Amino acid sequence: MYVCIYGFISAGGACGYESKNGYGHQTAALSTALFNDGLACGSCYEIKCVNDPQWCKPGQPSLFVTGTNFCPPNYNLPSNNGGWCNPPNAHFDLSQPAFLQIAEYKAGIIPVQYRRVPCKKEGGIRFTISGNPYYYKVLVWNVAGAGDVKMVKVKGSKKVGWTTMKRDWGQYWITDAMLVGESLTFRVIASDGRSSTAWHVAPTNWQFGQTFEGKNFK
């Protein structure tokens, strides 16, 4: 499938990721058709510039990016002339360093071929805990394999069963379960149905603002 791509420097705000989360410049903001209301945050893609010999880099090198942000539609412009992120377009806004790996800067926007690929990440799945004793918010990031997460469960060391967390936005997951003073175990279920359990990844003396690392997908 052929889509358009624009050399715009983007960050990771709509998914909750920050620069310190390690995604670097190999990132993309996804159009509505790809973003799926934030459920696609963390998904990975291989992108190639095609059918534009004037601007594509020789040899059509592949670019691998993680979806970390949202490219909003612009309904004041037609989808083929500025409204690139309007539905039903599959479109990527790339950071400038990423764009320059496959095309010349002057091109601005190019036709591409893309496909979904497994994510390759260094280290384990990260869990960053924020909120307060009555409202827990956990950012799940650095997920390998499918990359995007469809469900997160948490279990305190004093609890009998699992608590299913609710997705707040992007890859932020929330619960009002009382968990202070308990070691925390997280179970992450990816969009491909596989699960990874980080047993007692946060010790009993964990604090809000801390990040913990669990087992990743291969």
Side-chain angles (χ1 to χ4, degrees):
M1 181 178 180
Y2 293 88
V3 297
C4 292
I5 188 168
Y6 183 64
F8 180 77
I9 297 177
S10 57
C15 291
Y17 307 134
E18 301 177 17
S19 57
K20 65 182 180 181
N21 294 142
Y23 289 102
H25 296 301
Q26 300 296 107
T27 61
L30 309 178
S31 65
T32 301
L34 294 173
F35 191 65
N36 194 19
D37 195 30
L39 286 172
C41 288
S43 55
C44 296
Y45 304 86
E46 179 185 11
I47 301 173
K48 285 189 174 185
C49 178
V50 296
N51 298 337
D52 196 343
Q54 181 181 6
W55 302 118
C56 292
K57 290 288 179 72
Q60 295 184 334
S62 290
L63 170 68
F64 295 91
V65 296
T66 302
T68 61
N69 209 343
F70 176 53
C71 178
N74 186 344
Y75 295 113
N76 294 320
L77 296 171
S79 60
N80 63 347
N81 189 19
W84 308 110
C85 290
N86 295 353
N89 288 349
H91 177 89
F92 300 86
D93 258 8
L94 293 182
S95 67
Q96 184 175 311
F99 183 85
L100 293 176
Q101 294 176 45
I102 58 173
E104 301 295 336
Y105 177 78
K106 291 182 179 180
I109 189 162
I110 54 171
V112 301
Q113 196 171 37
Y114 81 96
R115 66 183 182 119
R116 182 79 178 267
V117 296
C119 297
K120 297 179 180 180
K121 303 297 180 184
E122 295 290 334
I125 297 174
R126 309 302 209 280
F127 305 91
T128 300
I129 306 173
S130 59
N132 58 61
Y134 308 99
Y135 175 82
Y136 300 80
K137 180 183 287 188
V138 179
L139 176 65
V140 181
W141 53 283
N142 200 56
V143 181
D148 48 349
V149 176
K150 71 174 184 180
M151 185 182 296
V152 177
K153 296 182 178 183
V154 63
K155 184 180 183 303
S157 53
K158 299 178 183 178
K159 302 293 187 295
V160 174
W162 292 90
T163 296
T164 299
M165 305 184 76
K166 297 180 180 179
R167 193 174 70 88
D168 188 19
W169 58 275
Q171 284 299 346
Y172 271 114
W173 298 80
I174 60 174
T175 182
D176 57 3
M178 304 298 288
L179 297 167
V180 169
E182 301 184 39
S183 65
L184 303 182
T185 296
F186 292 100
R187 177 165 292 167
V188 175
I189 296 90
S191 64
D192 61 3
R194 293 195 298 160
S195 65
S196 176
T197 303
W199 291 101
H200 307 291
V201 66
T204 55
N205 62 344
W206 63 267
Q207 301 291 318
F208 292 104
Q210 290 183 311
T211 298
F212 302 95
E213 181 176 346
K215 181 181 177 182
N216 217 331
F217 297 99
K218 293 183 179 180

PDB file of all heavy atoms in Angstrom, residues 39-70:
ATOM      1  N   LEU A  39      -4.738   3.140  20.791  1.00  0.00           N
ATOM      2  CA  LEU A  39      -4.424   1.730  20.998  1.00  0.00           C
ATOM      3  C   LEU A  39      -3.200   1.288  20.212  1.00  0.00           C
ATOM      4  O   LEU A  39      -2.572   0.290  20.540  1.00  0.00           O
ATOM      5  CB  LEU A  39      -5.630   0.861  20.625  1.00  0.00           C
ATOM      6  CG  LEU A  39      -6.791   0.872  21.624  1.00  0.00           C
ATOM      7  CD1 LEU A  39      -7.989   0.142  21.045  1.00  0.00           C
ATOM      8  CD2 LEU A  39      -6.370   0.240  22.950  1.00  0.00           C
ATOM      9  N   ALA A  40      -2.844   2.030  19.146  1.00  0.00           N
ATOM     10  CA  ALA A  40      -1.684   1.677  18.329  1.00  0.00           C
ATOM     11  C   ALA A  40      -0.381   2.249  18.876  1.00  0.00           C
ATOM     12  O   ALA A  40       0.689   2.018  18.297  1.00  0.00           O
ATOM     13  CB  ALA A  40      -1.885   2.144  16.888  1.00  0.00           C
ATOM     14  N   CYS A  41      -0.430   2.981  19.975  1.00  0.00           N
ATOM     15  CA  CYS A  41       0.794   3.528  20.559  1.00  0.00           C
ATOM     16  C   CYS A  41       1.766   2.397  20.870  1.00  0.00           C
ATOM     17  O   CYS A  41       1.402   1.421  21.537  1.00  0.00           O
ATOM     18  CB  CYS A  41       0.470   4.282  21.840  1.00  0.00           C
ATOM     19  SG  CYS A  41      -0.376   5.852  21.593  1.00  0.00           S
ATOM     20  N   GLY A  42       2.986   2.522  20.385  1.00  0.00           N
ATOM     21  CA  GLY A  42       4.004   1.504  20.612  1.00  0.00           C
ATOM     22  C   GLY A  42       4.164   0.532  19.464  1.00  0.00           C
ATOM     23  O   GLY A  42       5.113  -0.251  19.459  1.00  0.00           O
ATOM     24  N   SER A  43       3.264   0.564  18.488  1.00  0.00           N
ATOM     25  CA  SER A  43       3.381  -0.324  17.327  1.00  0.00           C
ATOM     26  C   SER A  43       4.543   0.122  16.443  1.00  0.00           C
ATOM     27  O   SER A  43       4.931   1.292  16.435  1.00  0.00           O
ATOM     28  CB  SER A  43       2.080  -0.324  16.523  1.00  0.00           C
ATOM     29  OG  SER A  43       1.703   0.993  16.151  1.00  0.00           O
ATOM     30  N   CYS A  44       5.111  -0.823  15.687  1.00  0.00           N
ATOM     31  CA  CYS A  44       6.306  -0.542  14.889  1.00  0.00           C
ATOM     32  C   CYS A  44       6.058  -0.810  13.403  1.00  0.00           C
ATOM     33  O   CYS A  44       5.269  -1.696  13.048  1.00  0.00           O
ATOM     34  CB  CYS A  44       7.476  -1.391  15.379  1.00  0.00           C
ATOM     35  SG  CYS A  44       7.975  -1.006  17.072  1.00  0.00           S
ATOM     36  N   TYR A  45       6.773  -0.059  12.564  1.00  0.00           N
ATOM     37  CA  TYR A  45       6.545  -0.110  11.128  1.00  0.00           C
ATOM     38  C   TYR A  45       7.868  -0.041  10.373  1.00  0.00           C
ATOM     39  O   TYR A  45       8.821   0.623  10.804  1.00  0.00           O
ATOM     40  CB  TYR A  45       5.665   1.067  10.680  1.00  0.00           C
ATOM     41  CG  TYR A  45       4.353   1.133  11.402  1.00  0.00           C
ATOM     42  CD1 TYR A  45       4.252   1.791  12.630  1.00  0.00           C
ATOM     43  CD2 TYR A  45       3.211   0.519  10.885  1.00  0.00           C
ATOM     44  CE1 TYR A  45       3.051   1.840  13.317  1.00  0.00           C
ATOM     45  CE2 TYR A  45       2.001   0.569  11.557  1.00  0.00           C
ATOM     46  CZ  TYR A  45       1.925   1.230  12.778  1.00  0.00           C
ATOM     47  OH  TYR A  45       0.733   1.267  13.458  1.00  0.00           O
ATOM     48  N   GLU A  46       7.886  -0.731   9.234  1.00  0.00           N
ATOM     49  CA  GLU A  46       8.965  -0.577   8.264  1.00  0.00           C
ATOM     50  C   GLU A  46       8.435   0.283   7.133  1.00  0.00           C
ATOM     51  O   GLU A  46       7.361   0.010   6.584  1.00  0.00           O
ATOM     52  CB  GLU A  46       9.419  -1.922   7.715  1.00  0.00           C
ATOM     53  CG  GLU A  46      10.527  -1.797   6.665  1.00  0.00           C
ATOM     54  CD  GLU A  46      10.892  -3.124   6.038  1.00  0.00           C
ATOM     55  OE1 GLU A  46      10.165  -4.111   6.253  1.00  0.00           O
ATOM     56  OE2 GLU A  46      11.910  -3.170   5.300  1.00  0.00           O
ATOM     57  N   ILE A  47       9.173   1.342   6.796  1.00  0.00           N
ATOM     58  CA  ILE A  47       8.722   2.306   5.786  1.00  0.00           C
ATOM     59  C   ILE A  47       9.791   2.456   4.717  1.00  0.00           C
ATOM     60  O   ILE A  47      10.984   2.548   5.025  1.00  0.00           O
ATOM     61  CB  ILE A  47       8.446   3.680   6.433  1.00  0.00           C
ATOM     62  CG1 ILE A  47       7.370   3.556   7.523  1.00  0.00           C
ATOM     63  CG2 ILE A  47       8.014   4.694   5.393  1.00  0.00           C
ATOM     64  CD1 ILE A  47       7.158   4.826   8.320  1.00  0.00           C
ATOM     65  N   LYS A  48       9.339   2.483   3.454  1.00  0.00           N
ATOM     66  CA  LYS A  48      10.250   2.708   2.332  1.00  0.00           C
ATOM     67  C   LYS A  48       9.688   3.791   1.421  1.00  0.00           C
ATOM     68  O   LYS A  48       8.495   3.814   1.143  1.00  0.00           O
ATOM     69  CB  LYS A  48      10.445   1.426   1.514  1.00  0.00           C
ATOM     70  CG  LYS A  48      11.338   0.392   2.174  1.00  0.00           C
ATOM     71  CD  LYS A  48      11.658  -0.745   1.212  1.00  0.00           C
ATOM     72  CE  LYS A  48      12.656  -1.716   1.805  1.00  0.00           C
ATOM     73  NZ  LYS A  48      13.064  -2.752   0.829  1.00  0.00           N
ATOM     74  N   CYS A  49      10.556   4.665   0.983  1.00  0.00           N
ATOM     75  CA  CYS A  49      10.193   5.664  -0.021  1.00  0.00           C
ATOM     76  C   CYS A  49      10.157   4.976  -1.375  1.00  0.00           C
ATOM     77  O   CYS A  49      11.099   4.278  -1.767  1.00  0.00           O
ATOM     78  CB  CYS A  49      11.228   6.787  -0.018  1.00  0.00           C
ATOM     79  SG  CYS A  49      10.965   8.080  -1.248  1.00  0.00           S
ATOM     80  N   VAL A  50       9.055   5.144  -2.139  1.00  0.00           N
ATOM     81  CA  VAL A  50       8.898   4.451  -3.421  1.00  0.00           C
ATOM     82  C   VAL A  50       8.355   5.394  -4.491  1.00  0.00           C
ATOM     83  O   VAL A  50       7.734   6.406  -4.206  1.00  0.00           O
ATOM     84  CB  VAL A  50       7.938   3.236  -3.285  1.00  0.00           C
ATOM     85  CG1 VAL A  50       8.510   2.188  -2.342  1.00  0.00           C
ATOM     86  CG2 VAL A  50       6.557   3.680  -2.817  1.00  0.00           C
ATOM     87  N   ASN A  51       8.624   5.023  -5.734  1.00  0.00           N
ATOM     88  CA  ASN A  51       8.044   5.685  -6.909  1.00  0.00           C
ATOM     89  C   ASN A  51       8.319   7.183  -6.977  1.00  0.00           C
ATOM     90  O   ASN A  51       7.514   7.947  -7.515  1.00  0.00           O
ATOM     91  CB  ASN A  51       6.522   5.448  -6.960  1.00  0.00           C
ATOM     92  CG  ASN A  51       6.180   3.986  -7.101  1.00  0.00           C
ATOM     93  OD1 ASN A  51       6.983   3.177  -7.571  1.00  0.00           O
ATOM     94  ND2 ASN A  51       4.978   3.621  -6.672  1.00  0.00           N
ATOM     95  N   ASP A  52       9.450   7.599  -6.424  1.00  0.00           N
ATOM     96  CA  ASP A  52       9.826   9.006  -6.501  1.00  0.00           C
ATOM     97  C   ASP A  52      11.344   9.103  -6.597  1.00  0.00           C
ATOM     98  O   ASP A  52      12.031   9.461  -5.641  1.00  0.00           O
ATOM     99  CB  ASP A  52       9.320   9.762  -5.268  1.00  0.00           C
ATOM    100  CG  ASP A  52       9.339  11.274  -5.454  1.00  0.00           C
ATOM    101  OD1 ASP A  52      10.027  11.742  -6.383  1.00  0.00           O
ATOM    102  OD2 ASP A  52       8.671  11.971  -4.672  1.00  0.00           O
ATOM    103  N   PRO A  53      11.902   8.736  -7.747  1.00  0.00           N
ATOM    104  CA  PRO A  53      13.365   8.672  -7.888  1.00  0.00           C
ATOM    105  C   PRO A  53      14.059  10.006  -7.647  1.00  0.00           C
ATOM    106  O   PRO A  53      15.248  10.031  -7.316  1.00  0.00           O
ATOM    107  CB  PRO A  53      13.558   8.192  -9.330  1.00  0.00           C
ATOM    108  CG  PRO A  53      12.266   8.491 -10.020  1.00  0.00           C
ATOM    109  CD  PRO A  53      11.212   8.357  -8.982  1.00  0.00           C
ATOM    110  N   GLN A  54      13.330  11.112  -7.805  1.00  0.00           N
ATOM    111  CA  GLN A  54      13.953  12.422  -7.569  1.00  0.00           C
ATOM    112  C   GLN A  54      14.310  12.628  -6.097  1.00  0.00           C
ATOM    113  O   GLN A  54      15.324  13.239  -5.782  1.00  0.00           O
ATOM    114  CB  GLN A  54      13.016  13.543  -8.023  1.00  0.00           C
ATOM    115  CG  GLN A  54      13.618  14.932  -7.820  1.00  0.00           C
ATOM    116  CD  GLN A  54      12.677  16.038  -8.247  1.00  0.00           C
ATOM    117  OE1 GLN A  54      11.517  15.792  -8.591  1.00  0.00           O
ATOM    118  NE2 GLN A  54      13.161  17.273  -8.237  1.00  0.00           N
ATOM    119  N   TRP A  55      13.468  12.091  -5.202  1.00  0.00           N
ATOM    120  CA  TRP A  55      13.640  12.379  -3.783  1.00  0.00           C
ATOM    121  C   TRP A  55      13.965  11.170  -2.921  1.00  0.00           C
ATOM    122  O   TRP A  55      14.494  11.323  -1.817  1.00  0.00           O
ATOM    123  CB  TRP A  55      12.388  13.068  -3.233  1.00  0.00           C
ATOM    124  CG  TRP A  55      12.038  14.341  -3.924  1.00  0.00           C
ATOM    125  CD1 TRP A  55      10.907  14.613  -4.620  1.00  0.00           C
ATOM    126  CD2 TRP A  55      12.844  15.527  -4.006  1.00  0.00           C
ATOM    127  NE1 TRP A  55      10.936  15.883  -5.127  1.00  0.00           N
ATOM    128  CE2 TRP A  55      12.112  16.478  -4.766  1.00  0.00           C
ATOM    129  CE3 TRP A  55      14.100  15.885  -3.519  1.00  0.00           C
ATOM    130  CZ2 TRP A  55      12.600  17.748  -5.039  1.00  0.00           C
ATOM    131  CZ3 TRP A  55      14.592  17.151  -3.796  1.00  0.00           C
ATOM    132  CH2 TRP A  55      13.846  18.061  -4.541  1.00  0.00           C
ATOM    133  N   CYS A  56      13.647   9.968  -3.365  1.00  0.00           N
ATOM    134  CA  CYS A  56      13.966   8.773  -2.569  1.00  0.00           C
ATOM    135  C   CYS A  56      15.468   8.554  -2.522  1.00  0.00           C
ATOM    136  O   CYS A  56      16.159   8.740  -3.534  1.00  0.00           O
ATOM    137  CB  CYS A  56      13.292   7.529  -3.161  1.00  0.00           C
ATOM    138  SG  CYS A  56      11.483   7.512  -3.047  1.00  0.00           S
ATOM    139  N   LYS A  57      15.979   8.126  -1.386  1.00  0.00           N
ATOM    140  CA  LYS A  57      17.395   7.809  -1.272  1.00  0.00           C
ATOM    141  C   LYS A  57      17.705   6.577  -2.129  1.00  0.00           C
ATOM    142  O   LYS A  57      16.878   5.654  -2.219  1.00  0.00           O
ATOM    143  CB  LYS A  57      17.773   7.539   0.186  1.00  0.00           C
ATOM    144  CG  LYS A  57      17.738   8.778   1.088  1.00  0.00           C
ATOM    145  CD  LYS A  57      18.897   9.705   0.770  1.00  0.00           C
ATOM    146  CE  LYS A  57      18.874  10.964   1.629  1.00  0.00           C
ATOM    147  NZ  LYS A  57      19.240  10.706   3.035  1.00  0.00           N
ATOM    148  N   PRO A  58      18.869   6.528  -2.773  1.00  0.00           N
ATOM    149  CA  PRO A  58      19.232   5.393  -3.625  1.00  0.00           C
ATOM    150  C   PRO A  58      19.182   4.072  -2.871  1.00  0.00           C
ATOM    151  O   PRO A  58      19.581   3.991  -1.702  1.00  0.00           O
ATOM    152  CB  PRO A  58      20.664   5.737  -4.060  1.00  0.00           C
ATOM    153  CG  PRO A  58      20.766   7.218  -3.920  1.00  0.00           C
ATOM    154  CD  PRO A  58      19.906   7.573  -2.758  1.00  0.00           C
ATOM    155  N   GLY A  59      18.678   3.053  -3.541  1.00  0.00           N
ATOM    156  CA  GLY A  59      18.612   1.738  -2.939  1.00  0.00           C
ATOM    157  C   GLY A  59      17.391   1.496  -2.085  1.00  0.00           C
ATOM    158  O   GLY A  59      17.217   0.403  -1.538  1.00  0.00           O
ATOM    159  N   GLN A  60      16.551   2.502  -1.949  1.00  0.00           N
ATOM    160  CA  GLN A  60      15.326   2.396  -1.147  1.00  0.00           C
ATOM    161  C   GLN A  60      15.583   1.769   0.223  1.00  0.00           C
ATOM    162  O   GLN A  60      15.067   0.700   0.552  1.00  0.00           O
ATOM    163  CB  GLN A  60      14.256   1.593  -1.894  1.00  0.00           C
ATOM    164  CG  GLN A  60      13.757   2.265  -3.156  1.00  0.00           C
ATOM    165  CD  GLN A  60      12.629   1.472  -3.803  1.00  0.00           C
ATOM    166  OE1 GLN A  60      12.532   0.268  -3.620  1.00  0.00           O
ATOM    167  NE2 GLN A  60      11.791   2.149  -4.561  1.00  0.00           N
ATOM    168  N   PRO A  61      16.396   2.423   1.067  1.00  0.00           N
ATOM    169  CA  PRO A  61      16.663   1.874   2.400  1.00  0.00           C
ATOM    170  C   PRO A  61      15.389   1.826   3.248  1.00  0.00           C
ATOM    171  O   PRO A  61      14.470   2.626   3.058  1.00  0.00           O
ATOM    172  CB  PRO A  61      17.675   2.862   2.988  1.00  0.00           C
ATOM    173  CG  PRO A  61      17.406   4.148   2.268  1.00  0.00           C
ATOM    174  CD  PRO A  61      17.026   3.742   0.870  1.00  0.00           C
ATOM    175  N   SER A  62      15.333   0.887   4.174  1.00  0.00           N
ATOM    176  CA  SER A  62      14.184   0.762   5.065  1.00  0.00           C
ATOM    177  C   SER A  62      14.375   1.623   6.312  1.00  0.00           C
ATOM    178  O   SER A  62      15.485   1.765   6.835  1.00  0.00           O
ATOM    179  CB  SER A  62      13.990  -0.692   5.495  1.00  0.00           C
ATOM    180  OG  SER A  62      13.557  -1.483   4.416  1.00  0.00           O
ATOM    181  N   LEU A  63      13.292   2.188   6.778  1.00  0.00           N
ATOM    182  CA  LEU A  63      13.255   2.949   8.016  1.00  0.00           C
ATOM    183  C   LEU A  63      12.340   2.204   8.984  1.00  0.00           C
ATOM    184  O   LEU A  63      11.232   1.805   8.610  1.00  0.00           O
ATOM    185  CB  LEU A  63      12.712   4.354   7.762  1.00  0.00           C
ATOM    186  CG  LEU A  63      12.397   5.200   8.992  1.00  0.00           C
ATOM    187  CD1 LEU A  63      13.682   5.565   9.733  1.00  0.00           C
ATOM    188  CD2 LEU A  63      11.643   6.469   8.588  1.00  0.00           C
ATOM    189  N   PHE A  64      12.795   2.016  10.223  1.00  0.00           N
ATOM    190  CA  PHE A  64      11.988   1.342  11.227  1.00  0.00           C
ATOM    191  C   PHE A  64      11.635   2.345  12.323  1.00  0.00           C
ATOM    192  O   PHE A  64      12.531   2.951  12.924  1.00  0.00           O
ATOM    193  CB  PHE A  64      12.741   0.145  11.808  1.00  0.00           C
ATOM    194  CG  PHE A  64      12.997  -0.939  10.798  1.00  0.00           C
ATOM    195  CD1 PHE A  64      14.171  -0.947  10.039  1.00  0.00           C
ATOM    196  CD2 PHE A  64      12.060  -1.937  10.581  1.00  0.00           C
ATOM    197  CE1 PHE A  64      14.405  -1.935   9.097  1.00  0.00           C
ATOM    198  CE2 PHE A  64      12.285  -2.939   9.643  1.00  0.00           C
ATOM    199  CZ  PHE A  64      13.455  -2.933   8.888  1.00  0.00           C
ATOM    200  N   VAL A  65      10.343   2.531  12.548  1.00  0.00           N
ATOM    201  CA  VAL A  65       9.894   3.535  13.513  1.00  0.00           C
ATOM    202  C   VAL A  65       8.848   2.950  14.460  1.00  0.00           C
ATOM    203  O   VAL A  65       8.186   1.958  14.154  1.00  0.00           O
ATOM    204  CB  VAL A  65       9.294   4.773  12.815  1.00  0.00           C
ATOM    205  CG1 VAL A  65      10.351   5.493  11.981  1.00  0.00           C
ATOM    206  CG2 VAL A  65       8.093   4.393  11.957  1.00  0.00           C
ATOM    207  N   THR A  66       8.711   3.609  15.607  1.00  0.00           N
ATOM    208  CA  THR A  66       7.670   3.281  16.577  1.00  0.00           C
ATOM    209  C   THR A  66       6.620   4.385  16.559  1.00  0.00           C
ATOM    210  O   THR A  66       6.963   5.569  16.534  1.00  0.00           O
ATOM    211  CB  THR A  66       8.261   3.172  17.994  1.00  0.00           C
ATOM    212  OG1 THR A  66       9.285   2.176  18.006  1.00  0.00           O
ATOM    213  CG2 THR A  66       7.184   2.800  19.004  1.00  0.00           C
ATOM    214  N   GLY A  67       5.359   4.001  16.572  1.00  0.00           N
ATOM    215  CA  GLY A  67       4.282   4.982  16.645  1.00  0.00           C
ATOM    216  C   GLY A  67       4.179   5.546  18.051  1.00  0.00           C
ATOM    217  O   GLY A  67       3.867   4.824  18.996  1.00  0.00           O
ATOM    218  N   THR A  68       4.473   6.845  18.194  1.00  0.00           N
ATOM    219  CA  THR A  68       4.512   7.465  19.521  1.00  0.00           C
ATOM    220  C   THR A  68       3.617   8.687  19.653  1.00  0.00           C
ATOM    221  O   THR A  68       3.557   9.289  20.724  1.00  0.00           O
ATOM    222  CB  THR A  68       5.943   7.896  19.886  1.00  0.00           C
ATOM    223  OG1 THR A  68       6.395   8.861  18.926  1.00  0.00           O
ATOM    224  CG2 THR A  68       6.898   6.704  19.899  1.00  0.00           C
ATOM    225  N   ASN A  69       2.943   9.086  18.579  1.00  0.00           N
ATOM    226  CA  ASN A  69       2.174  10.325  18.634  1.00  0.00           C
ATOM    227  C   ASN A  69       1.019  10.253  17.647  1.00  0.00           C
ATOM    228  O   ASN A  69       0.907   9.302  16.861  1.00  0.00           O
ATOM    229  CB  ASN A  69       3.076  11.527  18.341  1.00  0.00           C
ATOM    230  CG  ASN A  69       2.586  12.792  19.035  1.00  0.00           C
ATOM    231  OD1 ASN A  69       1.439  12.871  19.476  1.00  0.00           O
ATOM    232  ND2 ASN A  69       3.446  13.779  19.131  1.00  0.00           N
ATOM    233  N   PHE A  70       0.174  11.278  17.657  1.00  0.00           N
ATOM    234  CA  PHE A  70      -1.014  11.353  16.811  1.00  0.00           C
ATOM    235  C   PHE A  70      -0.885  12.516  15.843  1.00  0.00           C
ATOM    236  O   PHE A  70      -0.526  13.628  16.235  1.00  0.00           O
ATOM    237  CB  PHE A  70      -2.252  11.529  17.693  1.00  0.00           C
ATOM    238  CG  PHE A  70      -3.534  11.724  16.937  1.00  0.00           C
ATOM    239  CD1 PHE A  70      -3.929  10.826  15.955  1.00  0.00           C
ATOM    240  CD2 PHE A  70      -4.359  12.802  17.226  1.00  0.00           C
ATOM    241  CE1 PHE A  70      -5.122  10.999  15.259  1.00  0.00           C
ATOM    242  CE2 PHE A  70      -5.559  12.980  16.541  1.00  0.00           C
ATOM    243  CZ  PHE A  70      -5.938  12.080  15.564  1.00  0.00           C
TER     244      PHE A  70
END
